[in-house]
Amino acid sequence: MSVPIIIDEWLFHDLSGDNGPEKQRQTWGFLFKLLQVCDRVAILEGSPFEIKFGQFIKNSGRYPVLREISKFLNNSIISNSLKTEFIAKGDVQPLPPRLAKLVPRDDHYLFQAHLKLKSQGSFIVTTDGRLKHKLLNQSSVVIKLRDQFVTDYLR
């Protein structure tokens, strides 16, 4: 069964090398594995993730390695309807008030996408440990931290 994975902007920081060569290598491996298995990335249209993707594509043209990474990401994952599910802004609900108070405004899109796709087994992958800690008691939200998720995914 294809599971929707909601990823925040760590993906672009890793791929661009901002977080070091090891995280870049791991994230590159994650994308290759994602292509091989039936999982997919879910993206809320107009979200900070989608905006950061556009910036990543634009800025990667200056560096040959990043240009190849961005081509692969765009052609094999983002533009591949089997690997990416785009969610229209009008198809998500505002966060319930209790959850909205716990989640920083800039991260609402992650939770809106997750709640929209929850019945399909969706989960959020983030580097923000505060989100996982704050939401531990929210059984409706599944959050995985980037390092452990990528390690497990690559096994």
Side-chain angles (χ1 to χ4, degrees):
M1 177 179 159
S2 177
V3 174
I5 304 169
I6 297 125
I7 299 172
D8 69 8
E9 297 91 55
W10 62 261
L11 183 85
F12 306 112
H13 294 288
D14 282 5
L15 290 175
S16 65
D18 294 345
N19 296 329
E22 179 61 20
K23 294 215 188 242
Q24 185 181 43
R25 185 191 63 72
Q26 289 174 341
T27 300
W28 192 223
F30 160 68
L31 292 176
F32 275 110
K33 177 119 186 223
L34 180 71
L35 192 59
Q36 296 167 0
V37 299
C38 63
D39 297 334
R40 66 193 189 280
V41 174
I43 300 172
L44 182 60
E45 292 179 343
S47 68
F49 182 92
E50 188 176 46
I51 292 165
K52 193 79 160 193
F53 170 67
Q55 293 168 343
F56 178 74
I57 295 295
K58 180 180 174 185
N59 295 334
S60 66
R62 294 182 250 165
Y63 308 98
V65 171
L66 289 183
R67 188 171 34 247
E68 290 306 310
I69 291 172
S70 70
K71 279 184 193 175
F72 175 82
L73 176 62
N74 187 46
N75 297 338
S76 299
I77 307 294
I78 303 296
S79 296
N80 181 343
S81 63
L82 297 175
K83 294 290 131 194
T84 299
E85 178 174 350
F86 283 96
I87 305 166
K89 263 196 181 243
D91 288 347
V92 296
Q93 301 295 316
L95 293 182
R98 187 165 176 252
L99 186 57
K101 287 180 187 175
L102 294 172
V103 176
R105 184 84 181 114
D106 289 349
D107 292 329
H108 280 206
Y109 78 96
L110 297 167
F111 294 83
Q112 290 173 303
H114 169 64
L115 294 175
K116 170 74 177 164
L117 302 173
K118 186 174 130 182
S119 65
Q120 298 172 41
S122 73
F123 57 89
I124 297 168
V125 180
T126 183
T127 56
D128 190 345
R130 296 171 301 168
L131 286 179
K132 186 168 176 78
H133 179 72
K134 278 184 177 180
L135 299 166
L136 253 143
N137 297 324
Q138 296 287 330
S139 60
S140 65
V141 178
V142 179
I143 298 174
K144 298 183 181 192
L145 295 177
R146 179 255 179 241
D147 290 345
Q148 189 62 53
F149 167 75
V150 170
T151 299
D152 293 346
Y153 204 81
L154 293 176
R155 284 189 192 156

